[in-house]
């Protein structure tokens, strides 16, 4: 999904990080092993080693590069103690009874998390999930080429403005590309109406056929940091990095709405060590772990103190609006899982990509 260099670390790769042997103190999980399944390049430099030193446990990490890849392993019965899926996939895992409810008595740090990322629609009582990172999707743009007046007037329809032909990136994500098109047309990104989905398909066809649009994945990050295009669709955490590297870059979220996303930690039903899983989840919520995570990866921390410190005066993301997700727009939505609609969108987006390659 939205992970820097995720594909380079994905697949069957396994990292084993043995306990660092912290000095003294109680190490309640000495000799035990936690199996973590996470996105590549999605953890702070010291997250695992510090947790091991504190608990005496060993952490084995498998990496995935898509929610669907993760789902196949879990659905086939492969055992992990902690997963970090995205919102809509968590909803699917709950529906299919593949997760176990959390024991809140073992989670003492939930009070450190900001209200904006708690109680989202996919798990309204956080019965199964604890936020790991969160953010939005918006438009990264070169302020020397694109006026905010155009962005405010056109919103996502700026991707159809021939003034910017040949200067546009579209992100290679069927969900977020259709989100953009649906929001441009004034529809919900969670629509199940086939007529609306087909209108969005036609909108995307126009985008790739008339705008000489380049469909990319994570290369958009470095490319926009280097000012190679005028604008593109991007995840907020990646936009924060781009803006920190190039002062000419801006981030805009149209008032018609966007995707408010969350990746969260969950415990599969067949986890072999749920006690240690709870300890890891609780640890990730702490200030030190959350600061390590967010300052290294660049995505927004759910820990409120960390979020405010990094975005505040002297913080790594001071003055960078992409770092703090928008939570006050009624048109913003969280993705919902719908198997039939997902199939339709996948088929239509495949046609969009073929049209783009032939344009």
């Amino acid at each position: 999904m939205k992970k820097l260099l995720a594909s380079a670390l994905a697949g069957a790769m396994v990292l084993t990080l043995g306990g660092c042997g912290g000095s003294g103190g109680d190490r309640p999980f000495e000799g035990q092993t936690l199996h973590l399944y996470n996105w590549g390049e999605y953890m702070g430099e010291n997250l695992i080693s510090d947790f091991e030193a504190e608990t005496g446990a060993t952490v084995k990490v498998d990496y995935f590069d898509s929610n669907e890849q993760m789902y196949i392993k879990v659905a086939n019965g492969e055992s992990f103690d902690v997963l970090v899926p995205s919102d809509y996939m968590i909803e699917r895992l709950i529906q299919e009874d593949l997760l176990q409810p959390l024991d809140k008595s073992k989670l003492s740090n939930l009070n450190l998390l900001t209200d904006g990322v708690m109680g989202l629609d996919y798990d309204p009582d956080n019965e199964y999930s604890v936020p790991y990172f969160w953010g939005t999707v918006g438009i990264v743009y070169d302020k020397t080429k694109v006026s905010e007046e155009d962005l405010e007037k056109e919103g996502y329809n700026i991707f159809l403005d021939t003034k910017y032909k040949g200067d546009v990136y579209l992100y290679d994500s069927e969900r977020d590309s259709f989100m953009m098109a649906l929001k441009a047309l004034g529809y919900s990104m969670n629509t199940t109406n086939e007529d609306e989905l087909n209108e969005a398909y036609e909108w995307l066809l126009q985008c790739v056929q008339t705008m000489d649009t380049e469909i990319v994945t994570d290369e958009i990050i470095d490319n926009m940091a280097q000012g190679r295009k005028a604008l593109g669709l991007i995840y907020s955490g990646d936009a924060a990095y781009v803006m920190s590297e190039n002062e000419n870059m801006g981030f805009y979220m149209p008032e018609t709405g966007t995707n408010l996303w969350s990746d969260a930690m969950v415990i599969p039903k067949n986890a072999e060590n749920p006690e240690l899983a709870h300890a890891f989840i609780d640890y990730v919520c702490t200030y030190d772990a959350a600061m390590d995570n967010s300052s290294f990866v660049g995505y927004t921390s759910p820990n409120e103190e960390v979020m405010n410190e990094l975005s505040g005066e002297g913080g790594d993301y001071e003055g960078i609006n992409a770092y703090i997700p928008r939570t006050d727009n009624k048109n913003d939505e969280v993705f919902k899982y719908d198997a039939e609609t997902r199939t339709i969108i996948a088929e239509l987006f495949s046609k969009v990509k073929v049209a783009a390659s032939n344009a």
Side-chain angles (χ1 to χ4, degrees):
M1 192 179 166
K2 56 194 84 69
K3 317 304 179 286
L4 300 177
L5 304 179
S7 59
L9 290 169
M13 180 177 176
V14 178
L15 176 63
T16 302
L17 296 161
C20 295
S23 57
D26 180 27
R27 289 158 59 89
F29 296 98
E30 191 79 51
Q32 297 185 34
T33 299
L34 178 86
H35 292 265
L36 171 66
Y37 203 15
N38 199 357
W39 303 88
E41 291 292 313
Y42 213 42
M43 294 180 289
E45 292 180 290
N46 305 305
L47 179 74
I48 299 300
S49 58
D50 285 355
F51 176 73
E52 291 175 320
E54 184 172 305
T55 63
T58 295
V59 179
K60 292 184 177 180
V61 189
D62 282 272
Y63 295 106
F64 57 86
D65 64 356
S66 73
N67 282 288
E68 288 67 30
Q69 180 190 41
M70 179 275 304
Y71 169 80
I72 290 170
K73 285 197 174 186
V74 174
N76 286 336
E78 197 161 334
S79 180
F80 301 96
D81 296 307
V82 177
L83 312 172
V84 191
S86 302
D87 35 47
Y88 75 96
M89 184 54 69
I90 294 172
E91 184 176 15
R92 181 178 186 180
L93 294 171
I94 293 171
Q95 288 176 8
E96 297 183 10
D97 197 28
L98 291 170
L99 302 180
Q100 58 179 274
L102 299 171
D103 183 347
K104 300 287 182 66
S105 71
K106 295 182 172 66
L107 301 172
S108 60
N109 293 310
L110 296 182
N111 63 310
L112 303 178
L113 306 185
T114 185
D115 290 341
V117 75
M118 299 294 283
L120 298 180
D121 289 347
Y122 64 91
D123 186 13
D125 297 317
N126 290 102
E127 183 180 358
Y128 295 93
S129 65
V130 173
Y132 184 85
F133 280 133
W134 65 310
T136 55
V137 176
I139 301 170
V140 62
Y141 65 99
D142 187 331
K143 291 182 283 188
T144 68
K145 299 178 181 177
V146 181
S147 71
E148 193 154 320
E149 183 180 355
D150 281 352
L151 288 164
E152 291 175 354
K153 178 182 176 182
E154 299 179 276
Y156 291 117
N157 284 308
I158 198 169
F159 283 83
L160 305 182
D161 188 338
T162 54
K163 181 194 305 184
Y164 303 107
K165 181 176 181 178
D167 224 3
V168 172
Y169 286 126
L170 187 66
Y171 200 85
D172 191 358
S173 162
E174 62 200 39
R175 289 185 304 277
D176 290 301
S177 294
F178 267 82
M179 177 280 295
M180 176 174 70
L182 288 163
K183 289 297 188 183
L185 294 164
Y187 300 135
S188 166
M189 70 184 198
N190 287 309
T191 185
T192 58
N193 183 306
E194 286 199 48
D195 289 339
E196 293 177 357
L197 293 172
N198 280 317
E199 280 188 62
Y201 166 65
E202 294 295 336
W203 189 98
L204 288 168
L205 274 185
Q206 183 180 347
C207 179
V208 299
Q209 291 175 335
T210 66
M211 294 291 289
D212 193 19
T213 303
E214 190 174 345
I215 301 178
V216 295
T217 53
D218 286 340
E219 59 264 37
I220 191 175
I221 302 164
D222 287 336
N223 288 350
M224 287 304 296
Q226 294 171 33
R228 291 180 179 169
K229 297 277 188 185
L231 54 92
L233 188 69
I234 197 169
Y235 296 108
S236 55
D238 295 337
Y241 171 79
V242 169
M243 294 170 71
S244 70
E245 292 292 305
N246 186 334
E247 63 182 12
N248 289 328
M249 294 298 151
F251 181 69
Y252 182 77
M253 288 180 290
E255 290 301 311
T256 50
T258 187
N259 167 19
L260 176 64
W261 61 262
S262 171
D263 292 343
M265 297 171 285
V266 299
I267 304 177
K269 205 153 197 179
N270 65 348
E272 294 181 1
N273 201 334
E275 291 286 329
L276 183 54
H278 279 86
F280 179 78
I281 290 171
D282 203 39
Y283 174 76
V284 172
C285 296
T286 65
Y287 171 87
D288 287 342
M291 177 60 76
D292 184 26
N293 259 357
S294 192
S295 61
F296 182 73
V297 177
Y299 280 98
T300 311
S301 175
N303 180 297
E304 187 162 14
E305 184 180 1
V306 169
M307 180 179 70
N308 291 336
E309 185 174 329
L310 285 174
S311 62
E313 186 176 352
D316 292 352
Y317 299 103
E318 179 185 2
I320 295 178
N321 68 323
Y323 182 76
I324 298 290
R326 181 175 69 185
T327 59
D328 59 354
N329 186 300
K330 62 181 176 59
N331 296 318
D332 293 342
E333 299 178 78
V334 175
F335 271 119
K336 297 182 182 298
Y337 177 72
D338 182 276
E340 184 176 346
T341 302
R342 179 183 171 276
T343 300
I344 294 170
I345 287 176
E347 292 174 352
L348 292 176
F349 193 62
S350 293
K351 295 179 181 179
V352 170
K353 293 175 72 171
V354 169
S357 65
N358 293 332

